[in-house]
């Protein structure tokens, strides 16, 4: 007999056959636990200067897989709400998700997504395919549409290593819109308020076959350009030793670059910017 934490027998819902989706299980039996289902009262809209928002995140493919990075700043209107927010998270061993948008909802969505992938693997006995992971995240975003229309949008960026893809194309990038639209991106992509500037920098710096160090420097240069033109994006904070989060996903799995490595690369980039404030030219 199986017992719950209060000493009572688990309800019948735990023994009823269903899908391998943990989100669907909660929606059917405990919908109040799904933060993405809570909609504000009719006519109410969240004030943008009262809710922390995360800003710029980006991803680019490179020789060994895919790199994903994000700045650390969260803002409430014209105020800096947090200087060391973590916007890049592993979803499982070979997948990572970063976010821009409403911080509280985004963090809840990331945690739920991590459980969703773990639950599927335990039920099915195999990991979900990368395409399946992208579709599952799109469905979770679609559940948040009501809140997004009331000013509480979350826009994730999904990356993963796909061993079934052709050689050289195994690092894949997926973007979404607030209605759950799913789009696969080739090469690189950026989201958030600084994305026009970060995307422009990546368009200049990206090329096929980048090694890990070159890809990390390109990401840091792009985040610098975003911070240079977008006040909601934070650049490297040398005095506080707060630097962007940079992570890679390869055949060996998810790896976040160490603080020491990110600090060293950021310092190198800052020195380059002393001579070239507008950043490096496009590589031939």
């Amino acid at each position: 007999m199986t017992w719950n934490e209060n000493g009572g027998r688990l309800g019948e819902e735990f023994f009823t056959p269903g899908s391998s989706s943990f989100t669907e299980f909660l929606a059917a039996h405990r919908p109040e636990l799904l933060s993405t289902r809570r909609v504000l009262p009719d006519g109410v809209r969240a004030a943008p200067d009262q809710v922390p928002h995360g800003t710029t995140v980006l991803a680019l493919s490179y020789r060994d897989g895919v790199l994903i990075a994000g700045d650390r700043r969260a803002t409430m209107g014209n105020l800096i709400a947090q200087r060391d927010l973590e916007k890049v998270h592993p979803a499982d061993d070979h997948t990572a998700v970063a976010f821009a948008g409403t911080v509280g909802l985004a963090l809840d969505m990331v945690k739920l997504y991590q459980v969703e992938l773990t639950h599927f693997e335990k039920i099915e006995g195999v990991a979900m395919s990368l395409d399946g992971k992208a579709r599952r995240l799109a469905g979770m975003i679609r559940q948040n549409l009501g809140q997004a229309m009331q000013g509480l949008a979350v826009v994730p960026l999904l990356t993963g290593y796909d061993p079934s893809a052709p050689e050289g194309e195994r690092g894949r990038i997926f973007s979404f819109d607030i209605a759950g639209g799913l789009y696969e991106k080739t090469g690189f992509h950026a989201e958030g308020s600084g994305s026009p500037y970060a995307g422009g920098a990546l368009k200049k710096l990206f090329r096929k076959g980048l090694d890990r160090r070159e890809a990390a420097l390109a990401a840091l240069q792009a985040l610098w350009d975003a911070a240079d033109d977008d006040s909601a994006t934070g650049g490297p904070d040398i005095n506080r030793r707060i630097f962007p989060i940079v992570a890679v996903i390869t055949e060996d799995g998810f790896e976040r670059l160490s603080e020491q490595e990110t600090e060293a690369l950021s310092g190198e980039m800052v020195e380059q910017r002393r001579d070239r404030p507008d950043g490096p030219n496009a590589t031939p």
Side-chain angles (χ1 to χ4, degrees):
M1 182 176 292
T2 306
W3 301 86
N4 66 19
E5 59 184 4
N6 297 318
R9 193 175 187 280
L10 291 175
E12 291 301 320
E13 62 270 20
F14 291 95
F15 305 97
T16 302
S19 77
S20 54
S21 170
F22 183 73
T23 306
E24 291 180 7
F25 176 81
L26 282 185
H29 302 289
R30 294 292 299 277
E32 70 277 7
L33 297 179
L34 287 172
S35 61
T36 54
R37 293 293 181 92
R38 301 171 192 155
V39 181
L40 298 176
D42 290 343
V44 175
R45 183 174 176 83
D49 59 348
Q50 298 297 316
V51 182
H53 279 73
T55 48
T56 309
V57 294
L58 58 84
L60 67 152
S61 59
Y62 74 107
R63 186 177 61 196
D64 299 323
V66 63
L67 179 146
I68 186 167
D71 82 307
R72 307 293 295 276
R73 179 172 292 178
T75 58
M76 288 195 306
N78 66 324
L79 301 178
I80 297 176
Q82 188 173 346
R83 300 179 188 274
D84 60 351
L85 177 65
E86 299 205 0
K87 305 175 187 176
V88 178
H89 301 266
D92 62 13
D93 290 342
H94 288 87
T95 316
V97 61
F99 67 84
T102 308
V103 172
L105 287 177
L107 291 173
D108 280 353
M109 187 178 293
V110 168
K111 293 174 183 176
L112 182 59
Y113 185 58
Q114 292 168 334
V115 174
E116 180 81 4
L117 299 187
T118 301
H119 182 77
F120 178 93
E121 187 168 353
K122 287 181 176 180
I123 296 297
E124 298 293 338
V126 295
M128 193 182 299
S129 70
L130 186 54
D131 289 298
K133 294 173 187 177
R135 289 192 295 269
R136 191 63 59 92
L137 183 54
M140 294 173 65
I141 298 167
R142 197 170 298 117
Q143 292 174 1
N144 190 55
L145 180 58
Q147 293 184 94
M149 299 301 291
Q150 293 178 311
L152 299 174
V154 176
V155 183
L157 180 62
L158 181 70
T159 59
Y161 183 85
D162 187 354
S164 66
E167 186 74 30
E169 300 177 13
R170 293 178 178 173
R172 299 173 65 189
I173 302 167
F174 299 89
S175 72
F176 308 83
D177 60 36
I178 63 170
L182 171 62
Y183 314 94
E184 183 165 3
K185 302 296 181 178
T186 301
F188 61 88
H189 186 68
E191 290 287 358
S193 60
S195 60
Y197 315 107
L202 289 175
K203 187 174 183 180
K204 177 178 66 172
L205 299 173
F206 175 80
R207 71 177 190 277
K208 288 187 176 181
L210 291 170
D211 63 27
R212 169 174 149 151
R213 184 176 183 279
E214 291 170 330
L217 279 171
L220 291 170
Q221 293 279 9
L223 289 172
W224 179 286
D225 280 347
D228 197 35
D229 286 295
D230 173 42
S231 62
T233 303
D237 191 332
I238 305 297
N239 293 332
R240 295 183 177 89
R241 299 187 67 187
I242 299 173
F243 302 96
I245 294 176
V246 182
V248 295
I249 310 170
T250 66
E251 183 178 10
D252 295 326
F254 175 93
E255 178 189 357
R256 174 171 166 171
L257 273 62
S258 69
E259 290 288 334
Q260 293 78 11
E261 184 175 1
T262 308
E263 181 175 2
L265 290 171
S266 297
E268 180 180 337
M269 178 198 63
V270 170
E271 286 301 315
Q272 293 174 358
R273 291 277 177 158
R274 294 186 195 279
D275 298 325
R276 298 188 63 91
D278 294 329
N281 291 328
T283 54

